[in-house]
């Protein structure tokens, strides 16, 4: 029955279902919470809070506390160690999702189950239905830069892998992609290959082999697409030779990958000439993607938050093609779908699906008494206000702080449309200063404009609060696309310092409670080493996010950065 249902995918039907759900979002939220509590009311976790079988939202909020991942870790550890009693969920948890681990330096373990898989498919179908209405895709393929990390077994025998890997390995995912007429053009052996660089090379080769069929270029995160085409610039002639001769490069050594690729690769001098001529004619690789894949309708992936800094380079490769930001979720589960695909990534909003979890929102303003404000429900949020999201889902998270800050940009029927603002815990702070990931990004963008006159760009960046000296100061690490003069880098350093406009920062700098900002330039390839470091720890490349602020829990990353510094400058802007 399930197979038939997924293969008869009707976008209009999906849109109509979504309209019905969102019209009565408040009622659906109450029903969803009731369902979660009925399924899991007998668990050890919920019983300790004295709900006594009640399933209404008022009792739930009065009894059950708001928590962070740290509060749930002891329960999750027992599950991963093999305790099969109903600890967090009524039904046993069979799979564990790992967060990327880039923020805290180590991945979080999060329960994953079939209900989360179902909500993943619901989100995918919903956003595809709206996307396909604007940008129809018909019987095409998707060039997807996706990589499944290794799954391993926990002490208790549970399958553990990144959230993306758990999705890609699920049969339901492939059926849905086929039904949406955008199957991946790379074979499974490439997606789940043990060597990321070899997988990336094969993804590019598969894309070129099927170049006329590719209608979508995508990845989980924008970073992976930019990374792939930066890589293409280095290996394109080798790829052309492979296509001309029908022989796979010796750089691909994994037997399963070689076998899968040999079935696809046949000598094709005409295709090789076409690709060679197109690449040779490009000016600085502008518009590379539509030149290589002429039938591409759009480029798709998560492009908000820590991905925004890559948009400039992605637009360079994309030429006139639209960039469509993918949906809003996390390792803990999904929140909303992008139902306005025509909006550029900087303005994208996500409509919350009221049946995939129970959502609360903590207002960001602080009460006068110093206490945290009372959370409000999904339909009680106010337009233009900022909130932190609290999630209750079907996989054992109850009143769980996601740590994300969102702004209410509008409503789709009765459900809010959220704009992602930043991670709440990613703050640069020494004294009374508070600078978010977005503040850092804006400062880097302002300073990078100085470089653009010299045809240089910031390949990647991160930050660190150095409190080993007194006063403490901000350190910004930059990897550049080429050599910059000392004079230009000093200007960049001053510009960074001046671009942090938070009153607490400016005031603290003036009285020397915060020292001069430091800009450290690192060797080419340093951020690739950071990527390799996380992949070595078991993270999936698809899920990798450059940590924008390297804290004390991330010492190994700080070590990689520090050992690759080639130049260092201190600001003289606010002295």
């Amino acid at each position: 029955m399930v197979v038939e249902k997924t293969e008869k995918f009707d976008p209009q039907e999906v849109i109509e279902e979504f309209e019905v759900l969102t019209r009565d979002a408040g009622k659906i939220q109450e029903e969803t919470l009731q369902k979660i509590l009925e399924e899991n009311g007998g668990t050890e976790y919920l019983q300790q809070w004295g709900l006594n079988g009640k399933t209404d939202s008022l009792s739930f909020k009065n009894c059950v506390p708001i928590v962070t991942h740290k509060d749930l870790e002891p329960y999750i550890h027992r599950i991963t160690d093999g305790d099969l009693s109903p600890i967090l969920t009524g039904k046993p948890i069979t799979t564990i999702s790992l967060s990327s681990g880039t923020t805290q330096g180590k991945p979080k373990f999060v329960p994953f189950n079939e209900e989360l898989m179902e909500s993943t498919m619901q989100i995918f179908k919903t956003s595809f239905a709206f996307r396909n209405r604007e940008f129809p895709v018909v019987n095409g393929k998707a060039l997807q830069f996706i990589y499944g990390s290794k799954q391993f077994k926990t002490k208790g025998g549970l399958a553990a892998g990144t959230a993306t890997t758990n999705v890609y390995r699920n049969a339901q995912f492939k059926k849905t992609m086929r039904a949406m007429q955008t199957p991946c053009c790379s074979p499974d052996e490439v997606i789940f290959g043990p060597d990321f660089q070899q997988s990336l090379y094969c993804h590019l080769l598969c894309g070129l082999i099927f170049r006329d069929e590719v209608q979508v270029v995508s990845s989980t995160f924008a970073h992976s697409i930019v990374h792939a085409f930066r890589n293409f610039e280095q290996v394109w002639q080798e790829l052309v030779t492979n296509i001309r001769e029908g022989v796979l490069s010796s750089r691909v050594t994994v037997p399963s990958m070689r076998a899968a690729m040999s079935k696809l690769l046949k000598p094709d001098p005409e295709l090789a000439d076409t690709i060679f001529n197109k690449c040779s004619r490009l000016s600085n690789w502008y518009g590379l993607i539509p030149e290589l894949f002429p039938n591409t309708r759009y480029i798709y992936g998560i492009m908000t938050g820590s991905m925004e800094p890559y948009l400039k380079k992605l637009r360079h490769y994309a030429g006139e093609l639209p960039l469509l930001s993918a949906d809003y979720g996390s390792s803990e589960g999904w929140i909303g779908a992008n139902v306005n695909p025509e909006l550029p990534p900087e303005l994208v909003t996500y409509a919350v699906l009221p049946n995939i979890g129970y959502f609360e929102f903590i207002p960001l303003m602080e009460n006068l008494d110093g206490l945290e404000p009372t959370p409000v429900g999904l339909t009680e949020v106010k337009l233009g206000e900022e909130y932190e999201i609290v999630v209750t889902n079907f996989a054992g998270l109850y009143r769980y702080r996601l740590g994300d800050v969102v702004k209410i940009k509008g409503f789709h029927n009765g459900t809010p449309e959220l704009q992602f603002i930043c991670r709440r815990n990613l703050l640069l702070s020494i004294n009374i200063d508070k600078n978010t990931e977005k503040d850092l990004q804006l400062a880097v963008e302002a300073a990078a404009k100085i470089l653009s006159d010299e045809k240089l760009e910031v390949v990647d960046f991160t930050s660190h609060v150095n409190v080993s000296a007194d006063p403490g100061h901000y350190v910004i690490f930059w990897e550049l696309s080429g050599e910059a003069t000392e004079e230009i880098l000093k200007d960049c350093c001053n510009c960074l310092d001046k671009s942090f406009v938070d009153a607490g920062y400016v005031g603290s700098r003036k009285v020397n409670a915060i020292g001069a900002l430091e800009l450290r330039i690192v060797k080419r390839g340093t951020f690739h080493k950071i990527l390799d470091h996380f992949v070595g720890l078991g993270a999936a490349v698809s899920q990798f996010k450059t940590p924008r602020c390297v804290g004390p829990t991330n010492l190994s990353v700080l070590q990689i950065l520090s050992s690759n510094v080639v130049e260092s400058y201190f600001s003289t802007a606010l002295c």
Side-chain angles (χ1 to χ4, degrees):
M1 280 305 290
V2 176
V3 175
E4 267 181 39
K5 196 177 170 191
T6 51
E7 285 174 3
K8 285 183 183 173
F9 177 73
D10 179 352
Q12 196 46 45
E13 197 180 295
V14 173
I15 288 173
E16 282 163 18
E17 266 175 41
F18 177 75
E19 296 296 340
V20 169
L21 276 176
T22 55
R23 260 184 224 119
D24 209 350
K27 181 167 171 276
I28 299 288
Q29 275 283 274
E30 291 295 327
E31 288 170 1
T32 303
L33 178 64
Q34 187 181 348
K35 195 174 164 196
I36 291 170
L37 296 178
E38 279 171 0
E39 276 183 26
N40 304 300
T43 57
E44 177 189 324
Y45 183 80
L46 285 177
Q47 283 198 323
Q48 72 178 321
W49 303 117
L51 264 175
N52 298 327
K54 296 191 195 79
T55 59
D56 63 289
S57 58
L58 192 63
S59 304
F60 176 64
K61 290 175 191 175
N62 284 340
C63 296
V64 180
I66 291 175
V67 294
T68 63
H69 188 268
K70 203 174 174 190
D71 299 311
L72 296 182
E73 267 179 354
Y75 302 94
I76 295 170
H77 277 156
R78 283 172 51 204
I79 294 167
T80 58
D81 285 351
D83 188 334
L84 294 174
S85 62
I87 299 170
L88 290 172
T89 53
K91 286 183 257 177
I93 292 288
T94 54
T95 314
I96 294 291
S97 281
L98 305 176
S99 71
S100 64
T102 48
T103 308
Q104 302 300 328
K106 65 178 198 300
K108 291 184 295 200
F109 282 45
V110 182
F112 184 88
N113 61 7
E114 270 311 305
E115 278 108 332
L116 283 198
M117 191 64 215
E118 280 166 29
S119 63
T120 302
M121 292 304 104
Q122 190 191 342
I123 290 264
F124 281 12
K125 288 176 185 176
T126 303
S127 64
F128 178 80
F130 281 95
R131 198 160 70 244
N132 218 43
R133 198 163 67 174
E134 298 287 326
F135 308 96
V137 168
V138 183
N139 289 328
K141 288 191 187 313
L143 170 53
Q144 291 183 294
F145 295 102
I146 54 176
Y147 311 88
S149 70
K150 300 177 200 73
Q151 278 184 315
F152 64 91
K153 290 274 190 255
T154 67
K155 189 176 160 188
L158 272 61
T162 59
T164 45
T165 300
N166 291 336
V167 171
Y168 301 151
R169 285 193 180 275
N170 195 292
Q172 189 79 355
F173 171 72
K174 286 180 193 161
K175 285 176 200 156
T176 303
M177 293 312 285
R178 273 201 303 274
M180 298 193 302
Q181 302 181 355
T182 46
C184 182
C185 59
S186 302
D188 276 4
E189 290 83 352
V190 170
I191 296 169
F192 298 108
D195 183 289
F196 155 60
Q197 282 302 122
Q198 293 183 41
S199 289
L200 170 51
Y201 186 87
C202 291
H203 274 316
L204 290 167
L205 190 54
C206 290
L208 295 175
I209 292 167
F210 295 109
R211 76 182 287 261
D212 291 327
E213 293 172 65
V214 171
Q215 293 188 27
V216 178
V217 173
S218 72
S219 186
T220 310
F221 289 118
H223 169 266
S224 292
I225 305 173
V226 169
H227 184 79
F229 288 104
R230 280 192 195 277
N231 203 270
F232 179 86
E233 290 182 32
Q234 310 302 317
V235 300
W236 72 277
Q237 287 174 309
E238 195 178 330
L239 289 161
V240 168
T241 304
N242 292 179
I243 290 168
R244 189 181 303 284
E245 297 171 358
V247 178
L248 183 62
S249 164
S250 59
R251 69 167 68 221
V252 181
T253 56
V254 176
S256 59
M257 245 192 263
R258 288 198 71 86
M261 291 304 295
S262 65
K263 289 177 189 166
L264 299 175
L265 192 58
K266 303 287 177 278
D268 194 337
E270 194 183 333
L271 175 59
D273 286 344
T274 301
I275 295 162
F276 184 87
N277 292 334
K278 286 193 175 295
C279 290
S280 302
R281 285 200 297 266
L282 284 174
S283 168
N284 195 23
W285 301 103
Y286 176 80
L288 172 62
I289 296 174
E291 283 295 325
L292 291 179
F293 314 106
N295 297 312
T296 306
R297 300 303 316 274
Y298 55 83
I299 294 166
Y300 185 66
I302 293 169
M303 299 181 187
T304 49
S306 59
M307 293 300 123
E308 264 192 53
Y310 306 110
L311 289 179
K312 188 181 175 195
K313 190 66 176 177
L314 190 54
R315 284 200 170 100
H316 181 81
Y317 287 136
E320 300 299 309
L321 283 172
L323 304 186
L324 275 59
S325 195
D327 308 303
Y328 174 31
S330 64
S331 303
E332 289 87 351
W334 290 97
I335 313 293
N338 177 1
V339 298
N340 301 305
E342 70 290 348
L343 288 176
E346 292 86 349
L347 301 174
V348 74
T349 59
Y350 305 99
V352 180
L353 272 68
N355 68 330
I356 60 173
Y358 182 74
F359 302 100
E360 297 172 73
F361 296 82
I362 303 172
L364 270 213
M365 66 228 183
E366 286 179 14
N367 285 340
L368 293 173
D369 54 12
L371 296 172
E372 192 163 70
T374 307
V376 297
L378 183 72
T379 56
E380 299 165 322
V381 292
K382 292 191 172 72
L383 191 65
E385 294 291 321
E386 291 188 2
Y387 299 89
E388 183 188 348
I389 303 184
V390 175
V391 176
T392 296
N393 71 9
F394 284 92
L397 302 183
Y398 307 99
R399 306 198 83 197
Y400 178 97
R401 293 182 91 129
L402 209 54
D404 286 359
V405 175
V406 295
K407 189 173 195 168
I408 311 301
K409 296 297 281 187
F411 289 87
H412 188 103
N413 297 324
T415 201
E417 293 192 339
L418 319 174
Q419 182 179 39
F420 178 85
I421 301 296
C422 62
R423 297 280 297 159
R424 190 164 187 175
N425 59 352
L426 272 180
L427 281 179
L428 285 168
S429 183
I430 291 171
N431 188 20
I432 54 168
D433 50 314
K434 282 186 173 64
N435 281 300
T436 65
E437 184 178 341
K438 187 74 183 169
D439 298 322
L440 171 65
Q441 185 193 319
L442 291 170
V444 169
E445 278 173 11
K449 283 184 183 139
I450 299 168
L451 290 172
S452 59
D453 297 340
E454 308 294 312
K455 301 279 187 290
L456 290 171
E457 60 186 7
V458 178
V459 173
D460 220 330
F461 67 91
T462 189
S463 64
H464 169 64
V465 169
N466 185 346
V467 287
S468 61
D470 189 28
H473 67 280
Y474 291 5
V475 179
I476 312 294
F477 294 92
W478 273 10
E479 182 179 320
L480 301 178
S481 59
E483 300 286 319
T485 65
E486 187 175 321
E487 190 182 347
I488 282 170
L489 291 173
K490 280 179 177 172
D491 287 348
C492 289
C493 183
N494 288 345
C495 182
L496 281 166
D497 205 6
K498 286 188 290 193
S499 297
F500 286 106
V501 293
D502 166 67
Y505 181 76
V506 176
S508 299
R509 280 284 286 115
K510 281 179 178 163
V511 299
N512 206 31
I514 294 177
L517 179 140
E518 183 182 2
L519 173 61
R520 295 183 189 173
I521 308 299
V522 295
K523 288 177 200 161
R524 288 296 302 273
T526 298
F527 281 84
H528 202 296
K529 287 179 184 169
I530 292 170
L531 168 66
D532 289 341
H533 166 73
F534 282 108
V535 171
L537 294 176
V541 177
S542 309
Q543 225 169 302
F544 175 76
K545 300 191 284 279
T546 296
R548 291 293 174 223
C549 182
V550 181
T553 57
N554 236 340
L555 280 176
S556 44
V557 172
L558 198 55
Q559 216 166 350
I560 295 168
L561 289 162
S562 301
S563 60
N564 283 281
V565 172
V566 286
E567 294 166 88
S568 180
Y569 301 91
F570 281 92
S571 165
T572 54
L574 300 172
C575 294

